[in-house]
C-alpha cells in the first residue's frame, strides 16, 4: 500500500459517520439553498411577464452601480435568464460558499478542538482521513445543490445551457471555499478564527468582485466569485473561466495537505497569542463572558445588514424610473401600503434586511445550546453561577444585539437615502422604521429559548421558522401564499414603516409573546438535565 493510501485509511468509514451525524444539517442546507434560488427565480418570472417589462428593468439596472455591486454583472438583462442570473446569482453563490465554510470548519477544526479527532486517530485511520471525509461530504452537498438548482431552472423553462452553467458555478465556488477553509483549519487551532478568516475572505471576494463589475471587469478576475460569474450564464456561456477555480482548488488541497504534515494534532501552525496574565473584570461575570463570546457574530451581522441597507437606500431615489410602467412590480410594492412608491419600496427593503438580521437573533439565542453541547456550560454551572443567570446572560446579548443589528440596517438605508435625496431627516425616519421590527426578532429569540429548554435536540426548528418568515415576507405576495400561512410570521403583524402609520398594539402583543416564550424556556431549562 502506497503512502498516499495509508494517509487516507478510514476515509470511507468516516464519511459514513459524518453523513449519519450531520444528516439533518445536510438536508437543511441542500434543501434551503435551491429553495431560495428557485423561489426568487419564480418571483422574477412573475414580476417581468412581458418583454417590455424586461426591457424597462434592464434599462434601470444597466447603469446602476449599487444594483451591480449587490447583484453582479449586468449581462443579458433583457432576457429572462439574464434577469434571473442577475437577481439570484450573487446571493446564491455567497450562501453556497457559507455552507462550505461552516461544514468544513465544523468537521475539521471543530472536531479537533472538541477532542474527537484524537479519539478517531487512535484507531487505524490516516492523517488526512478526517479532512478527506469532510471534503467528500461537502463536495456531495455542493453537487446536490447544483443539480437541484439546474433542474429547477430547467423546469421554469429557462435555456438548458445557461441553467447548467449556472448550477456548475455554484458547485465550483463551493469547492473553492471548502478548500480555503481546509487550509485555514491547518493554520489556526480555533474554530471561530477559521470561520472568521474564511468569512473575511468571502467578504473580500464580494467587495473585489463588486469593484470589478462596476468598473471594466478587470478586478473581478481577482475574486473567486468573479471567476464563476465570468462563465456568463444565459449571456453567451463560456466554460474556460472555471479552470481558474479548478486550479485554485487543486492548489489549496495541495497546500492543506502539506501544512497538515507539519503540525501536531490539535495544534495550528500559528500558535495562539498568549493572553493577558489577568482577565478583564467583565469576563468574571456571565454577561461579560457571553458578550465576549458573541461579539464577533454581532459585529459580522451588523456589518452585513448595514451594507445591505446601503445598497437598498442608494437606489431608492430612482425606484420610480426602475419600475417604469411594470404593473406587476407596482402592485407588489404597493401592497406594502402608502401612495408613494418610494416609501413602499423602502418599506419592503427594511423588511428584507430585518429578516436577514433575524438570522443573528436565532444564532445568538441558540448559543447556550452550543455551549452546552461543547461541554463549556458545565464548568461554569459548577461555580456559584446559577442556570438562570448563565442563560439570561446569553439572552441579554441576543435581545440587545437584535436592536443593534436593526439599528445598523436602518442607518445603512437612511444614510444613503438621505445622501441621494438630500434630506437628512430620512436618517432618523428610517432608523425608527427599522427598529420597529425589534419585537418580531424577540419572538424568534423567545421561540429558540423555548426549544432550548423544552426540546434541546429540536433547536434547529428555530431556523425553519426563520425560513418560513423569509418566504412569507419576501415572496408571500408574489407566490400568493394563503393568509393563514403568512400570519404565522410575526413580521406580518407589525406596522411596516414608512408606508404605514405606527401603532403600539402589535409591538406590545409580540413583546408579550416573546416574554412568555422566554419564560417557558428558562423554566424548562432549570428542570432538565444538562447535555
Amino acid at each position: 500500500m502506497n503512502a498516499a493510501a495509508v494517509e487516507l485509511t478510514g476515509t470511507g468509514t468516516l464519511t459514513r459517520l459524518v453523513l449519519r451525524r450531520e444528516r439533518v444539517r445536510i438536508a437543511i442546507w441542500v434543501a434551503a439553498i435551491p429553495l431560495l434560488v428557485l423561489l426568487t427565480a419564480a418571483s422574477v418570472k412573475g414580476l417581468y411577464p412581458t418583454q417590455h417589462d424586461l426591457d424597462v428593468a434592464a434599462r434601470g439596472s444597466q447603469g446602476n452601480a449599487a444594483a451591480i455591486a449587490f447583484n453582479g454583472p449586468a449581462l443579458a438583462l433583457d432576457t429572462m435568464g439574464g434577469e434571473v442570473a442577475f437577481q439570484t446569482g450573487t446571493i446564491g453563490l455567497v450562501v453556497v460558499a457559507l455552507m462550505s465554510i461552516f461544514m468544513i470548519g465544523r468537521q475539521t477544526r471543530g472536531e479537533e478542538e472538541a477532542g474527537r479527532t484524537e479519539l478517531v486517530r487512535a484507531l487505524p485511520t490516516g492523517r488526512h482521513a478526517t479532512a478527506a471525509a469532510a471534503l467528500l461530504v461537502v463536495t456531495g452537498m455542493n453537487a446536490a445543490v447544483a443539480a437541484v438548482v439546474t433542474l429547477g431552472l430547467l423546469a421554469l423553462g429557462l435555456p438548458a445551457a445557461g441553467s447548467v452553467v449556472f448550477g456548475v458555478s455554484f458547485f465550483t465556488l463551493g469547492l473553492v471555499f471548502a478548500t480555503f477553509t481546509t487550509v485555514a483549519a491547518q493554520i489556526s487551532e480555533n474554530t471561530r478564527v477559521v470561520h472568521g478568516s474564511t468569512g473575511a475572505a468571502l467578504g473580500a471576494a464580494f467587495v473585489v468582485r463588486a469593484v470589478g463589475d462596476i468598473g471594466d471587469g478587470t478586478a473581478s478576475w481577482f475574486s473567486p466569485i468573479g471567476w464563476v460569474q465570468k462563465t456568463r450564464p444565459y449571456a453567451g456561456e463560456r466554460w474556460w473561466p472555471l479552470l481558474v477555480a479548478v486550479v485554485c482548488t487543486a492548489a489549496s488541497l495541495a497546500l492543506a495537505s502539506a501544512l497538515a504534515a507539519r503540525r501536531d494534532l490539535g495544534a495550528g501552525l500559528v500558535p495562539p497569542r498568549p493572553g493577558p496574565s489577568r482577565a478583564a473584570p467583565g469576563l468574571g461575570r456571565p454577561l461579560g463572558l457571553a458578550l465576549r463570546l458573541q461579539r464577533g457574530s454581532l459585529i459580522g451581522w451588523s456589518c452585513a445588514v448595514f451594507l445591505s441597507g446601503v445598497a437598498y437606500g442608494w437606489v431608492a431615489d430612482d425606484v420610480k424610473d426602475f419600475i417604469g410602467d411594470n404593473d406587476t412590480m407596482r402592485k407588489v410594492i404597493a401592497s406594502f401600503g402608502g401612495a408613494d412608491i418610494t416609501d413602499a419600496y423602502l418599506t419592503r427593503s427594511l423588511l428584507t434586511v430585518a429578516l436577514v438580521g433575524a438570522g443573528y437573533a436565532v444564532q445568538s439565542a441558540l448559543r447556550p445550546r452550543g455551549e452546552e453541547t461543547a461541554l463549556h456550560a458545565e464548568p461554569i454551572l459548577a461555580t456559584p453561577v446559577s442556570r438562570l443567570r448563565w442563560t439570561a446572560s446569553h439572552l441579554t446579548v441576543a435581545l440587545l444585539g437584535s436592536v443593534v443589528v436593526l439599528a445598523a440596517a436602518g442607518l445603512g438605508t437612511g444614510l444613503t437615502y438621505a445622501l441621494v435625496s438630500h434630506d437628512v431627516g430620512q436618517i432618523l425616519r428610517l432608523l425608527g422604521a427599522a427598529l420597529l421590527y425589534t419585537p418580531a426578532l424577540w419572538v424568534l429569540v423567545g421561540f429558540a429559548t423555548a426549544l432550548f429548554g423544552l426540546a434541546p435536540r429540536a433547536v434547529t426548528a428555530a431556523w425553519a421558522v426563520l425560513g418560513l418568515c423569509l418566504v412569507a415576507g419576501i415572496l408571500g405576495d408574489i407566490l400568493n401564499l394563503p393568509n393563514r400561512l403568512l400570519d404565522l410570521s410575526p413580521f406580518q403583524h407589525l406596522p411596516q414603516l414608512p408606508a404605514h402609520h405606527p401603532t403600539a398594539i402589535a409591538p406590545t402583543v409580540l413583546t408579550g409573546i416573546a416574554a412568555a416564550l422566554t419564560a417557558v424556556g428558562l423554566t424548562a431549562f432549570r428542570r432538565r438535565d444538562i447535555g
Side-chain angles (χ1 to χ4, degrees):
M1 185 180 294
N2 59 40
V6 171
E7 298 284 11
L8 295 174
T9 300
T11 299
T13 301
L14 291 176
T15 301
R16 292 192 294 273
L17 176 62
V18 174
L19 290 172
R20 175 68 178 82
R21 290 180 59 237
E22 302 293 336
R23 62 189 184 279
V24 175
R25 185 172 279 102
I26 291 171
I28 291 174
W29 277 114
V30 171
I33 296 176
L35 183 66
L36 170 67
V37 174
L38 296 177
L39 285 177
T40 306
S43 71
V44 170
K45 290 195 69 175
L47 290 174
Y48 307 110
T50 68
Q51 184 60 47
H52 175 70
D53 294 329
L54 286 172
D55 292 338
V56 172
R59 288 194 298 270
S61 301
Q62 198 69 47
N64 193 313
I68 293 173
F70 195 72
N71 292 331
L75 302 173
L77 296 186
D78 56 346
T79 67
M80 184 57 66
E83 193 66 42
V84 166
F86 184 69
Q87 299 290 347
T88 65
T90 299
I91 185 62
L93 290 169
V94 168
V95 176
V96 166
L98 288 173
M99 175 188 76
S100 298
I101 289 171
F102 291 143
M103 288 298 296
I104 290 292
R106 176 182 174 85
Q107 297 305 319
T108 55
R109 178 50 64 181
E111 291 293 291
E112 207 165 329
E113 190 176 10
R116 287 187 285 268
T117 301
E118 188 172 0
L119 296 176
V120 171
R121 288 287 300 278
L123 301 172
T125 58
R127 177 186 301 170
H128 301 315
T130 302
L135 284 168
L136 284 174
V137 171
V138 173
T139 299
M141 292 173 67
N142 282 292
V145 169
V148 175
V149 167
T150 300
L151 294 175
L153 294 175
L154 290 173
L156 290 173
L158 297 181
S163 300
V164 172
V165 170
F166 194 69
V168 172
S169 68
F170 278 44
F171 173 76
T172 307
L173 187 74
L175 290 188
V176 169
F177 278 94
T179 53
F180 281 179
T181 310
T182 306
V183 172
Q186 314 310 314
I187 297 173
S188 173
E189 63 180 51
N190 187 289
T191 307
R192 288 194 296 273
V193 174
V194 171
H195 287 161
S197 58
T198 47
L202 176 60
F206 182 92
V207 172
V208 172
R209 190 277 314 159
V211 172
D213 289 344
I214 293 172
D216 60 3
T218 301
S220 301
W221 285 106
F222 294 92
S223 165
I225 300 176
W227 300 339
V228 298
Q229 288 186 334
K230 293 291 185 182
T231 55
R232 300 170 61 93
Y234 307 108
E237 297 79 12
R238 54 189 187 185
W239 291 90
W240 64 265
L242 294 178
L243 294 176
V244 181
V246 171
V247 171
C248 181
T249 299
S252 297
L253 277 176
L255 178 60
S257 177
L259 296 178
R262 288 166 172 78
R263 68 175 181 88
D264 294 332
L265 182 64
L269 287 175
V270 177
R273 185 180 61 182
S277 58
R278 302 179 70 88
L283 293 179
R285 294 186 290 272
L287 181 58
L289 178 60
L291 182 59
R292 175 63 180 83
L293 292 173
Q294 298 201 44
R295 70 180 183 184
S297 174
L298 177 59
I299 293 172
W301 281 100
S302 298
C303 291
V305 296
F306 178 83
L307 293 175
S308 299
V310 167
Y312 283 122
W314 197 264
V315 302
D317 207 40
D318 299 323
V319 67
K320 293 179 181 178
D321 296 332
F322 176 75
I323 294 174
D325 54 0
N326 186 326
D327 292 334
T328 305
M329 181 73 86
R330 283 181 174 273
K331 289 178 181 178
V332 170
I333 293 183
S335 66
F336 283 76
D340 186 77
I341 290 295
T342 301
D343 277 353
Y345 164 80
L346 289 169
T347 300
R348 186 176 182 87
S349 301
L350 288 174
L351 173 61
T352 302
V353 291
L355 286 165
V356 173
Y360 164 79
V362 174
Q363 182 187 54
S364 181
L366 295 181
R367 184 59 188 258
R369 178 58 180 170
E371 293 292 296
E372 182 184 6
T373 56
L375 304 181
H376 296 162
E378 290 187 39
I380 296 176
L381 296 176
T383 69
V385 176
S386 67
R387 291 192 183 194
L388 179 61
R389 187 181 177 196
W390 175 72
T391 312
S393 65
H394 284 281
L395 288 179
T396 300
V397 176
L399 295 171
L400 297 182
S402 298
V403 178
V404 173
V405 170
L406 289 175
L411 281 175
T413 308
L415 285 172
T416 49
Y417 183 54
L419 183 63
V420 298
S421 65
H422 308 290
D423 183 1
V424 179
Q426 296 296 335
I427 298 176
L428 290 179
R429 179 172 177 251
L430 295 179
L431 174 62
L435 289 174
L436 194 63
Y437 289 106
T438 299
L441 269 65
W442 285 355
V443 168
L444 294 178
V445 171
F447 180 72
T449 304
L451 288 175
F452 169 67
L454 294 170
R457 294 191 178 187
V459 291
T460 51
W463 291 107
V465 172
L466 175 58
L468 173 64
C469 293
L470 283 166
V471 173
I474 298 176
L475 302 174
D477 293 315
I478 298 171
L479 300 177
N480 293 319
L481 297 178
N483 289 332
R484 290 182 180 179
L485 182 62
L486 297 178
D487 289 341
L488 294 176
S489 170
F491 293 87
Q492 300 299 115
H493 300 282
L494 289 169
Q496 295 170 341
L497 303 181
H500 293 159
H501 295 292
T503 61
I505 298 176
T508 302
V509 171
L510 289 178
T511 302
I513 293 173
L517 289 171
T518 302
V520 168
L522 292 175
T523 303
F525 177 62
R526 293 178 64 187
R527 297 179 178 179
R528 71 169 175 84
D529 292 335
I530 298 293

